[in-house]
Amino acid sequence: MNTPYARYDDSRPGQFTRTSSLADLAYVAALGLTSRVARRNSIVSLDNLSDAFSDAPEFENPVIVQGGWSWPLVRTSVLILLSALSAGFNSGKMSTPAEAIRSATGIPAAKFAIDASRTDNPVADWTWTFVVSIYCLGAMLSCTTAAQLADRWGRRTFLLWTSVIFVVGGLLEAGASCPLCLGGVWGPCNSRVVLLVAGRAVSGIACGGAAVIVPLYLGEVAPPHLRGALGSAFQLSLALGAAFGQLGGLVVTADSWPWFLALGILPATAQLLLQPMLLESPRWCAMSGEDRMAEAMLVQLRGRSSPTEELQEELYCMLQPFDGSSGSRRPLSRSSSANSNASAGGDLYGHRGPADDALLAPSPPPASPRAALRAAASLPAVRRAVGLCVALAAAQQLCGINSLLY
């Protein structure tokens, strides 16, 4: 019989340990546990699927998970998902009300005569295309810097600034109705078009930041077995926002389109007003060396009154990758809590035990990003995976979905 991959304690079901099969899951709220199989309340690795259905597991004892939801976690997750709702609404709101907006900004659409003949206006079509697609350019630019800024400022601070940008973008778009249109019947109203372009670009910047940070933020505040559920909630929030933008646009009139474009600021404003209820990511606190704050955030998110051995193990796994360049783990500061239980033969906060020797053994210094990229590219399996991802991304863009959304 092989050594079990996950440590399981019948007396403490659901215990999170550093050797648990859940401890190495990425801190991102993604759809499903791609390397795990969940059945009822038990989880096993995909390689040992048969053990999930066996009363006497041969290779791996399933990890039993219970609960995990707490009011602080639900509250924080809902507030985070408001950014996804704003991003989805801003992605889908320009399609169905296009006729009313184009008419108000002097960008006429194609006209159909009684005999079904069509009169195109290429200049107007190109202008409208630019107005709508500048949103994607803003999102692309913000995606490249979102992770670095979130690492520097914190997940909570970055997301709140993203909400501020959502509000600014929505106000600029709605404000496009304010200037007097002096462009005449045959040309675009330049002042309105400029404001609309600026609003779309600013909203795109906020959307790109939210698309990168929201799943990361959710993954870092959620226990491992709930990251898949919150990943689904993220995708659902995007889809609901886009659906509301598409369906709501069907009833937009020539007078109501500015109010409709401004609706995207409501979720962002709610997040800003409720920011005292939004907890910081404990993993980011650990990355920043704020061990006591990381412990405090984790205790609140898990709905506990004081740190437990299980929470100490989870915090240990959060801190494990951030050990500097020496190859050994950074020692943690002594906790301010009275409860600092020993874990796996040693104290979590800087004191080694016999069971920690293998975990704390120095590792070789990390390779440079370029060398790591060359090494990964030399593996056939990696090349196949990259090729598949690139093909799927290209197919997604070439299938015509953007013509429906934008």
Side-chain angles (χ1 to χ4, degrees):
M1 180 175 177
N2 295 342
T3 302
Y5 180 71
R7 188 171 71 189
Y8 176 68
D9 186 353
D10 293 299
S11 63
R12 300 183 64 182
Q15 181 183 15
F16 186 97
T17 66
R18 68 190 69 174
T19 55
S20 166
S21 62
L22 297 176
D24 62 336
L25 289 177
Y27 287 91
V28 177
L31 286 171
L33 304 176
T34 56
S35 58
R36 308 291 183 267
V37 176
R39 179 176 179 264
R40 296 177 182 173
N41 288 344
S42 64
I43 295 178
V44 298
S45 59
L46 190 60
D47 295 334
N48 301 315
L49 177 60
S50 60
D51 288 336
F53 302 89
S54 174
D55 295 331
E58 182 179 1
F59 300 105
E60 177 181 343
N61 289 319
V63 174
I64 306 301
V65 293
Q66 294 180 347
W69 293 106
S70 66
W71 169 238
L73 175 61
V74 172
R75 182 182 63 204
T76 298
S77 300
V78 169
L79 289 178
I80 295 172
L81 289 171
L82 290 177
S83 293
L85 196 64
S86 291
F89 178 77
N90 281 280
S91 297
K93 68 181 181 181
M94 296 295 286
S95 178
T96 48
E99 184 176 353
I101 300 174
R102 292 183 67 163
S103 175
T105 54
I107 310 175
K111 296 182 179 180
F112 293 88
I114 299 178
D115 58 355
S117 61
R118 174 186 173 113
T119 302
D120 292 318
N121 190 333
V123 176
D125 290 339
W126 278 105
T127 303
W128 180 251
T129 299
F130 180 76
V131 168
V132 176
S133 60
I134 194 69
Y135 174 86
C136 299
L137 180 60
M140 182 184 68
L141 294 177
S142 63
C143 283
T144 60
T145 58
Q148 291 84 352
L149 292 176
D151 286 344
R152 180 182 303 175
W153 298 343
R155 315 305 192 220
R156 181 179 182 274
T157 302
F158 180 88
L159 205 65
L160 292 176
W161 275 112
T162 299
S163 294
V164 172
I165 298 174
F166 270 127
V167 171
V168 173
L171 292 177
L172 286 173
E173 292 175 16
S177 63
C178 295
L180 294 176
C181 190
L182 303 177
V185 178
W186 305 105
C189 181
N190 294 329
S191 55
R192 292 186 175 184
V193 171
V194 169
L195 277 177
L196 193 57
V197 168
R200 289 294 291 171
V202 171
S203 297
I205 291 173
C207 177
V212 172
I213 299 305
V214 167
L216 179 64
Y217 199 169
L218 290 172
E220 292 181 348
V221 300
H225 65 284
L226 295 180
R227 289 174 195 156
L230 287 177
S232 301
F234 168 62
Q235 297 292 335
L236 180 61
S237 299
L238 286 174
L240 286 176
F244 181 74
Q246 294 274 354
L247 297 177
L250 295 175
V251 297
V252 169
T253 64
D255 297 324
S256 63
W257 67 267
W259 299 101
F260 177 73
L261 295 184
L263 287 178
I265 72 175
L266 295 181
T269 303
Q271 187 185 79
L272 292 171
L273 293 176
L274 299 175
Q275 60 173 299
M277 303 169 64
L278 182 63
L279 298 179
E280 180 58 273
S281 160
R283 187 167 183 262
W284 180 81
C285 296
M287 291 169 57
S288 304
E290 299 289 342
D291 304 331
R292 296 184 181 183
M293 184 181 293
E295 181 187 70
M297 292 296 104
L298 195 60
V299 168
Q300 291 186 61
L301 287 167
R302 299 299 176 262
R304 307 295 174 82
S305 58
S306 61
T308 63
E309 182 178 349
E310 180 181 350
L311 295 187
Q312 291 176 351
E313 290 282 338
E314 187 173 358
L315 181 60
Y316 185 96
C317 294
M318 289 182 181
L319 290 162
Q320 186 174 352
F322 310 111
D323 54 3
S325 58
S326 62
S328 60
R329 185 173 293 106
R330 170 177 64 84
L332 302 180
S333 61
R334 184 177 297 276
S335 172
S336 59
S337 65
N339 183 9
S340 55
N341 297 326
S343 173
D347 188 352
L348 171 65
Y349 301 99
H351 296 84
R352 290 174 53 183
D356 289 331
D357 291 338
L359 291 172
L360 295 173
S363 57
S368 65
R370 183 173 299 179
L373 185 60
R374 285 199 300 266
S378 64
L379 300 175
V382 174
R383 290 199 298 269
R384 286 195 297 270
V386 171
L388 181 60
C389 291
V390 171
L392 288 175
Q396 183 185 37
Q397 297 301 314
L398 297 174
C399 71
I401 186 61
N402 286 341
S403 64
L404 298 177
L405 288 177
Y406 307 110

